[in-house]
Amino acid sequence: MYSAGTESLIKQAREIQDEELQKFYVRVSKMLSSKEHCSETIDSLQRLKLIVSATKYARLLPAEVQNKLQTLLRSPGCPEQLRLLCSAVLSESLPPSVRSLSAGLTQDCRSLGSVAAIVLAQAGNKDELLPLCQHLLKCLESRQPEGQICKHTLPILSKIISFFPEILSEDQINLVNRKLVDWLRYASVHQGASLSSGGFFTGPRSRQPGPMTEVDGVVVGDFFTVLCVGQSYTEDQWMNMYAFSMLRKWLLTYDSEGTCNTESAHLKRTQIMQSLSQDDRSEVDSSVMSMVSATSSSSRLLPPKERLREKSFEYCQRLIEQSDRKAIKRTDTELQKVCLIEAVAVMDIICKEDSSYVYRAFPCLKALYGRLSGDLAFARALMPIAQFYLNHSEMAAVDSEAVFRHLLSRFPSEMFNEPLLAFEFVQFCRLNMAVLQERVPLYRQSFPNIFKFLAWNSPALIADYMELLPSLMCRETAVEILHTLLDLPCLAATLDLQQKSATFQAADRVLWDNGTKLANCLEAFRQPSCRGLFLYILRPEAGTGDTIDRLNMLHEMLADMSESPRVIQCAQIVPVLLHVFFNHVAQFTDKKLSNQLALVVLERSSQLYRISKFKSELLRVFSAHIRTLCKLHPSLLIDQSRELLDFAGSVSNISSKKELYTSVVWMIGEYLSVSYDKRCTVELITSFFESLEAVLLEITQVRQSTKPPNYHPRVLTVLMTTLSKLASRSQDLIPRLSLSLSKMRTFAQSAPVASCYSEEDIEEIITRASELVNLLKLPNVAQFVLAPSPHGDNPRWHKDTNTSLPHSMRAVSGLLHKNSSFLPG
Amino acid sequence: MVHSFLIHTLGPVSALSANESRVLFARAFGPEESAQRGAEPEPEPELVPETRRLLQKERLAVVARRVRSVVALGRAASGVPAVECVLGEEAAALGEADVGVLRLTSGEPFAVERTVLWLAVQSLAFCLVCDMHENLLLAEGTLRNIGRRCLEELRLLGPGSEVILKSDRIDALLNHYLPHGQLLFLNHRFTHCLDRELSSYGNK
């Protein structure tokens, strides 16, 4: 593993003195001049590579060393190790070698790869890649004898086009299209000449190349693919493998109708394709067992792009057929899965470009789905199939419900702990959100299941779920989603228990790492009486639209797991998701939903899983968003008046939920007014006033004997202001309030209070109280200041001099100042 | 296609702060893509080679940091105590290895969106930075293969420094199994042929 020795080598390489480095360059240069390269040369080049690559800042090679490295790199007899070292040193150092290397590109296959590596690493623009690209295409074009084509031509080309797709002209694209067809479809089916030179006595023998076999050992009966096995491979078989490896990228880059020249040409091609595909379909239907080639249409007449499509499609069909074989080697079984994924993805691209393929593809894909769906080992191969169904089932009038049901119900609940499947599943949802929302009703229904991936692996997936969450939300599901988000840490804990419960039998109790703590939770998990609670948390689909009773009981059962890292990690992402939730819900919520959500916020503020900091974080989120909800629909104050009265009238809420309490009190003062809702009566205002007044009295009552509870001064000032606002709307209450407010000075200056509030706090309380008392002396002004019209932010108020808000504010502040001299003290 | 391959540390390194990671090997297979692909090709301000190189190193360092933090969180969550493997126990170390994947949104740190597939073996991580459309199952197989070969040939479980001194071996592995960042569909015979080609590496 990583050792101090390695660290010190890196340090040395970084801090090497210039003088020493120059000496080293001279030595390297000398070594490179000699014809024979010994192990010392290798050793020095390895050190040189370390020196040039260990720092962030590039090192400048002396021209002599650079030239020698370039020459060595291009010399035909250079061993691979030296070539790679030269290439690595040149790539990592300055000055760039791109231009000088591109000037002398040779046909030598082995050096071409290393030269290309440097060019690709150092090229900064299209012009620098152009010579290399042209060279590769020239090699492709000239029909060279076998064994001459550079094996890495296609990977290099693939890399170039991923940076500058426009580097190829239409003709060049067609050239590659033609070559790809040749390699994909017409590679030899016989084995390459064996390299073995025979034993010592037998001498070199030329063996007759045998036929290729399938992965199960049966002799190949159709064209060559990457799933064909032989002792050794011919050049074109290698190229077949490279061609298939780059096929998807190539089709994604160039197989779009956007590059078509004219509309009429497109029309003609479509007609040809349609007539061909109809023929094919009838053949497919007539003989299910037929080989892919048997259904192959004569496509010689097609333009290169369409021909590549046709041949790629056949190739993929053949791969799907071949994947049904029982491979002898385990690695080939893996490759079969990988090929299935690729084949279906390629077919999807082809069908997107030319919809006539859809009808040919579906019989094959339906059969494939039928074959794979029963086995979760093929779960990842089902992802591209689902994508295919999503893209094309509507057009082909194929029923896709079963596919999505399988995907959305089984994957999350049974494979939540597979990180790569989780990633692919989430990306699938993310990339197709719009379509899933619209066409797959089950998608939104399944949110409890979809959240399982997130609960299990929160840090890796949170960014994706922030994008995904809005797509799951609608009026019908919003309330249940809110509950589910709040229960997310419980879900993480329960999934953990579910997994452990499956792994450990009761007898293994001693082995559980957290000993008794975990044992208690597992015990509860296995109790039939608690089954319902856990089943609710693990439910696969939305159902209740709400939550359950006995949540507190569940929290108690899971209490011992509240310190597990997985649960804590999950709890940390909940506030983030809640922000996303509320911000999105604000865009579509109506009165009814706002009422429900406000109620959930009030209820759940005391029903949360006890994890350190979880509750305080959530209350902060709640308090911000309940204000937004109220601003959108102030009527919720009237609709939920009973619950809000209970909440605001309870002194215990001040200490346990300070932020939320302050927000609720502020909301009452701000929005409980007849100008927001006609139903707002004097009685209602009075009842809110009375209960808040009672709270203020209770918390400001100073008993000398007991220590006053340390309420935040903000709670006091917000309470005072809210009471004043209410009093300004029902002016009979003013005298009562003025009396209470005048007592604040005595309260604030009493000894016990002074001991727990800072001087600024006391000052703040006294100033606020006296300001409010002054304001309330002029009830009409008080109403204007404390409850400005809801249209106060309308530009008219600021532009129109007669109604100008600043003007009025100045008048008010003048009033306050003038009156302040009447204040006691 | 694969954009880059790196090997970096997961454990604490004395010279670095706690959440930093030492990149031991990094190879980017090509230039950085510009963000506005598909749009009108605007003449972008061309960077001098030195800046370009620096940017690339910084970007790969960001990838290493992200992977490091995700691996640490994942290990904490699983709660399974780590088993120390020593030289010769490569198979066991690989059996214990975690694998995972991360999405890097555009701009953080690459101009285009990418995914990182990582394989965490003991205190080292092997990463492939891939295009979004990459076949991840294929990438996973390739990464496991390259990771295993690196562990064995560079004796990464031991205390030596081969990983930085003999990094050309890693280049050779990449050159055969991941030429220029191209993931290959290799059946066991293709792999065998490449293995044979590689076996003569460095024997001259």
Side-chain angles (χ1 to χ4, degrees):
Chain A
M1 293 275 99
Y2 192 61
S3 64
T6 314
E7 182 68 20
S8 103
L9 275 172
I10 291 179
K11 199 162 177 293
Q12 279 174 37
R14 283 181 177 180
E15 292 170 359
I16 185 167
Q17 295 301 309
D18 196 46
E19 198 185 335
E20 202 181 333
L21 186 59
Q22 294 308 327
K23 271 191 213 155
F24 183 60
Y25 284 148
V26 173
R27 217 166 61 229
V28 170
S29 178
K30 255 187 217 146
M31 277 184 214
L32 291 174
S33 310
S34 74
K35 285 271 180 285
E36 287 297 309
H37 299 295
C38 54
S39 61
E40 206 187 336
T41 318
I42 302 260
D43 195 52
S44 299
L45 283 178
Q46 283 171 335
R47 278 177 193 273
L48 181 59
K49 174 172 180 213
L50 175 61
I51 291 168
V52 293
S53 64
T55 84
K56 285 199 285 196
Y57 309 102
R59 299 218 187 248
L60 197 66
L61 283 188
E64 198 193 350
V65 176
Q66 197 190 25
N67 287 338
K68 283 183 179 160
L69 286 172
Q70 286 192 15
T71 317
L72 181 58
L73 176 72
R74 285 190 288 203
S75 69
C78 175
E80 187 183 8
Q81 191 173 20
L82 273 178
R83 224 166 358 90
L84 285 178
L85 277 167
C86 294
S87 167
V89 170
L90 288 171
S91 306
E92 284 278 357
S93 56
L94 290 180
S97 325
V98 182
R99 286 181 197 283
S100 50
L101 281 174
S102 306
L105 286 165
T106 56
Q107 296 283 6
D108 179 49
C109 295
R110 294 195 305 151
S111 67
L112 183 62
S114 304
V115 170
I118 302 172
V119 173
L120 281 166
Q122 295 191 333
N125 54 36
K126 193 172 137 190
D127 293 341
E128 289 180 328
L129 283 175
L130 206 56
L132 175 65
C133 183
Q134 302 296 359
H135 178 79
L136 290 176
L137 290 166
K138 220 183 315 158
C139 295
L140 282 183
E141 206 166 14
S142 62
R143 289 178 174 277
Q144 290 183 353
E146 286 291 305
Q148 277 295 302
I149 188 140
C150 171
K151 258 181 14 178
H152 289 172
T153 303
L154 292 181
I156 300 168
L157 195 62
S158 178
K159 197 83 225 176
I160 293 175
I161 62 162
S162 66
F163 298 109
F164 301 105
E166 66 282 6
I167 204 166
L168 297 186
S169 67
E170 191 77 9
D171 284 345
Q172 289 170 326
I173 296 172
N174 281 336
L175 164 70
V176 181
N177 280 336
R178 279 199 301 274
K179 293 305 259 187
L180 288 176
V181 166
D182 283 349
W183 285 317
L184 284 174
R185 192 58 177 76
Y186 303 105
S188 151
V189 284
H190 289 282
Q191 298 190 17
S194 175
L195 287 177
S196 99
S197 55
F200 182 73
F201 295 105
T202 49
R205 53 180 179 177
S206 56
R207 276 194 294 179
Q208 194 64 28
M212 284 281 157
T213 62
E214 301 279 358
V215 285
D216 56 359
V218 175
V219 171
V220 164
D222 206 334
F223 61 90
F224 180 87
T225 70
V226 293
L227 285 175
C228 293
V229 180
Q231 284 303 308
S232 60
Y233 292 106
T234 59
E235 197 71 26
D236 57 352
Q237 287 163 347
W238 279 100
M239 292 314 281
N240 179 289
M241 185 270 291
Y242 285 112
F244 180 64
S245 299
M246 80 173 287
L247 182 63
R248 173 143 56 138
K249 171 102 205 162
W250 180 263
L251 291 177
L252 277 174
T253 314
Y254 294 115
D255 189 49
S256 64
E257 290 306 330
T259 49
C260 250
N261 292 333
T262 58
E263 287 239 340
S264 59
H266 169 57
L267 203 69
K268 207 172 111 205
R269 286 170 207 186
T270 320
Q271 282 165 351
I272 299 174
M273 293 308 297
Q274 273 168 356
S275 62
L276 282 175
S277 60
Q278 275 159 9
D279 293 344
D280 290 342
R281 222 182 323 154
S282 58
E283 282 181 74
V284 171
D285 291 345
S286 61
S287 65
V288 183
M289 295 299 290
S290 71
M291 298 283 238
V292 176
S293 307
T295 68
S296 168
S297 49
S298 148
S299 54
R300 294 253 169 224
L301 300 169
L302 290 173
K305 185 186 289 174
E306 277 77 4
R307 190 144 179 264
L308 176 62
R309 244 179 238 163
E310 175 65 31
K311 295 304 165 196
S312 309
F313 191 83
E314 288 172 12
Y315 195 97
C316 293
Q317 275 186 311
R318 172 141 161 79
L319 281 181
I320 292 175
E321 259 185 27
Q322 285 177 300
S323 298
D324 202 13
R325 294 175 181 274
K326 178 116 188 63
I328 299 170
K329 291 274 178 183
R330 198 181 51 82
T331 49
D332 289 344
T333 312
E334 283 303 304
L335 184 68
Q336 283 177 313
K337 275 185 213 164
V338 174
C339 285
L340 278 178
I341 292 174
E342 193 75 3
V344 177
V346 168
M347 282 173 138
D348 185 37
I349 298 169
I350 294 174
C351 288
K352 268 193 214 152
E353 288 310 321
D354 186 341
S355 49
S356 62
Y357 282 97
V358 172
Y359 305 102
R360 285 168 67 187
F362 257 113
C364 161
L365 282 178
K366 265 195 231 169
L368 181 63
Y369 173 74
R371 204 174 91 202
L372 304 185
S373 60
D375 188 353
L376 279 179
F378 286 98
R380 288 176 68 187
L382 286 183
M383 297 307 305
I385 298 182
Q387 183 69 62
F388 191 92
Y389 269 82
L390 197 65
N391 291 344
H392 308 292
S393 64
E394 204 169 54
M395 194 201 149
V398 172
D399 183 27
S400 56
E401 216 244 323
V403 178
F404 296 118
R405 179 161 291 283
H406 184 82
L407 194 75
L408 292 165
S409 64
R410 285 194 73 189
F411 284 16
S413 54
E414 294 174 51
M415 306 190 80
F416 57 86
N417 53 359
E418 295 281 329
L420 290 160
L421 178 79
F423 181 82
E424 284 175 345
F425 182 95
V426 172
Q427 297 314 316
F428 170 79
C429 293
R430 200 175 62 84
L431 295 171
N432 299 295
M433 307 198 267
V435 191
L436 286 168
Q437 251 171 305
E438 200 184 308
R439 294 222 316 263
V440 186
L442 195 64
Y443 171 66
R444 276 182 168 157
Q445 261 326 90
S446 303
F447 70 81
N449 233 4
I450 295 177
F451 280 129
K452 285 178 186 166
F453 287 125
L454 177 66
W456 186 259
N457 196 0
S458 333
L461 294 174
I462 173 65
D464 295 304
Y465 273 81
M466 284 171 70
E467 286 181 39
L468 213 55
L469 180 59
S471 74
L472 293 166
M473 289 166 60
C474 61
R475 284 207 189 114
E476 294 71 40
T477 52
V479 171
E480 197 177 336
I481 289 189
L482 178 55
H483 281 296
T484 310
L485 289 178
L486 297 175
D487 293 332
L488 214 54
C490 290
L491 178 59
T494 311
L495 288 173
D496 212 350
L497 286 179
Q498 189 190 25
Q499 202 195 27
K500 292 211 164 84
S501 171
T503 331
F504 299 115
Q505 290 308 309
D508 300 333
R509 281 176 71 145
V510 268
L511 295 175
W512 300 339
D513 44 2
N514 281 340
T516 50
K517 275 192 166 184
L518 191 62
N520 291 338
C521 294
L522 263 176
E523 204 66 37
F525 183 72
R526 286 171 177 163
Q527 285 271 323
S529 58
C530 310
R531 201 75 201 123
L533 289 172
F534 288 109
L535 282 179
Y536 163 74
I537 289 292
L538 292 172
R539 74 201 184 284
E541 281 179 40
T544 55
D546 200 3
T547 181
I548 44 163
D549 312 328
R550 301 201 296 164
L551 257 187
N552 282 334
M553 189 177 155
L554 180 73
H555 294 154
E556 269 165 38
M557 283 190 295
L558 293 173
D560 284 341
M561 290 192 76
S562 67
E563 282 167 25
S564 110
R566 192 181 302 283
V567 174
I568 292 176
Q569 285 173 14
C570 183
Q572 282 165 346
I573 60 151
V574 175
V576 184
L577 283 177
L578 283 180
H579 278 302
V580 176
F581 173 88
F582 281 113
N583 288 338
H584 186 68
V585 98
Q587 293 170 17
F588 65 83
T589 181
D590 55 6
K591 278 187 186 174
K592 190 176 155 221
L593 183 57
S594 295
N595 278 335
Q596 288 173 319
L597 292 174
L599 211 57
V600 172
V601 165
L602 293 180
E603 276 173 10
R604 291 298 306 257
S605 65
S606 48
Q607 286 194 332
L608 292 171
Y609 191 12
R610 271 181 291 277
I611 304 170
S612 76
K613 291 195 198 144
F614 184 55
K615 189 173 172 184
S616 59
E617 289 278 326
L618 288 202
L619 289 175
R620 206 168 300 151
V621 180
F622 282 165
S623 74
H625 290 288
I626 198 168
R627 291 200 302 258
T628 323
L629 285 176
C630 196
K631 188 178 178 191
L632 287 170
H633 298 288
S635 59
L636 74 82
L637 285 176
I638 317 271
D639 294 329
Q640 307 300 331
S641 57
R642 219 155 45 92
E643 285 75 11
L644 287 164
L645 266 171
D646 283 350
F647 185 86
S650 149
V651 177
S652 64
N653 282 338
I654 303 180
S655 46
S656 62
K657 302 160 195 168
K658 189 190 77 203
E659 272 111 356
L660 185 60
Y661 184 83
T662 320
S663 287
V664 168
V665 171
W666 179 86
M667 265 160 53
I668 293 169
E670 193 70 12
Y671 299 110
L672 190 71
S673 155
V674 75
S675 58
Y676 287 103
D677 195 319
K678 294 277 173 293
R679 295 173 296 164
C680 180
T681 58
V682 174
E683 288 75 31
L684 195 66
I685 292 185
T686 311
S687 65
F688 269 102
F689 181 87
E690 283 174 346
S691 66
L692 292 181
E693 188 191 34
V695 172
L696 184 67
L697 283 178
E698 191 176 335
I699 63 174
T700 56
Q701 208 170 44
V702 183
R703 292 188 200 90
Q704 293 300 335
S705 53
T706 55
K707 207 174 144 240
N710 191 2
Y711 298 116
H712 197 276
R714 202 169 113 78
V715 178
L716 286 176
T717 52
V718 171
L719 265 172
M720 289 190 291
T721 314
T722 293
L723 284 167
S724 306
K725 284 177 182 172
L726 293 177
S728 74
R729 284 169 213 153
S730 172
Q731 299 183 354
D732 296 346
L733 302 168
I734 292 182
R736 262 168 86 173
L737 179 62
S738 298
L739 188 68
S740 321
L741 290 177
S742 62
K743 288 181 192 160
M744 292 307 289
R745 170 175 291 273
T746 343
F747 160 75
Q749 286 174 340
S750 65
V753 176
S755 68
C756 56
Y757 285 167
S758 72
E759 233 163 76
E760 289 92 53
D761 289 342
I762 294 172
E763 184 66 32
E764 186 61 37
I765 293 169
I766 295 175
T767 316
R768 177 68 63 93
S770 59
E771 274 176 4
L772 290 170
V773 168
N774 280 344
L775 260 180
L776 289 172
K777 281 179 187 159
L778 298 164
N780 291 334
V781 177
Q783 202 169 11
F784 171 75
V785 176
L786 292 171
S789 142
H791 311 295
D793 49 0
N794 190 322
R796 196 179 72 91
W797 279 76
H798 302 271
K799 285 182 191 151
D800 190 336
T801 42
N802 294 322
T803 58
S804 152
L805 192 62
H807 182 70
S808 318
M809 291 307 288
R810 266 197 300 279
V812 172
S813 74
L815 253 174
L816 284 172
H817 274 289
K818 203 172 76 191
N819 280 339
S820 61
S821 54
F822 299 127
L823 289 175
Chain B
M1 290 221 90
V2 174
H3 172 267
S4 42
F5 169 78
L6 54 159
I7 305 177
H8 62 86
T9 60
L10 293 171
V13 175
S14 55
L16 300 175
S17 67
N19 52 6
E20 291 280 309
S21 173
R22 176 72 79 208
V23 176
L24 298 178
F25 178 89
R27 167 96 185 265
F29 294 102
E32 180 54 34
E33 267 167 285
S34 62
Q36 61 262 46
R37 269 267 303 278
E40 279 298 300
E42 269 178 48
E44 271 190 52
E46 196 140 312
L47 300 170
V48 293
E50 177 139 25
T51 319
R52 216 157 48 218
R53 181 180 185 278
L54 179 64
L55 263 176
Q56 192 169 64
K57 294 253 171 195
E58 293 288 4
R59 288 195 179 108
L60 293 178
V62 171
V63 174
R65 270 203 297 277
R66 292 276 310 269
V67 170
R68 191 196 138 98
S69 105
V70 156
V71 172
L73 288 167
R75 284 182 175 173
S78 79
V80 180
V83 183
E84 277 293 313
C85 296
V86 293
L87 211 56
E89 296 178 333
E90 281 78 11
L94 281 163
E96 297 274 320
D98 303 312
V99 62
V101 62
L102 259 184
R103 181 166 68 99
L104 303 173
T105 49
S106 60
E108 291 177 15
F110 299 103
V112 292
E113 200 175 42
R114 294 219 160 95
T115 45
V116 188
L117 183 74
W118 50 262
L119 174 76
V121 188
Q122 309 273 305
S123 61
L124 287 181
F126 302 86
C127 309
L128 289 180
V129 181
C130 305
D131 285 349
M132 279 310 281
H133 291 286
E134 204 47 85
N135 185 329
L136 281 180
L137 195 59
L138 176 62
E140 188 189 342
T142 310
L143 182 61
R144 281 185 192 277
N145 180 32
I146 294 176
R148 178 180 59 82
R149 310 273 314 226
C150 284
L151 280 184
E152 288 168 1
E153 292 179 19
L154 298 166
R155 308 160 60 84
L156 291 181
L157 294 179
S161 305
E162 279 98 330
V163 64
I164 55 165
L165 284 176
K166 300 219 160 32
S167 62
D168 56 298
R169 281 198 165 271
I170 312 176
D171 280 318
L173 283 172
L174 295 176
N175 199 31
H176 284 85
Y177 297 109
L178 191 62
H180 305 279
Q182 176 73 61
L183 291 166
L184 300 176
F185 290 80
L186 301 171
N187 64 37
H188 81 275
R189 285 308 304 183
F190 274 120
T191 312
H192 181 79
C193 295
L194 292 178
D195 285 349
R196 209 165 46 195
E197 279 177 31
L198 254 176
S199 64
S200 61
Y201 181 83
N203 285 346
K204 284 200 172 178

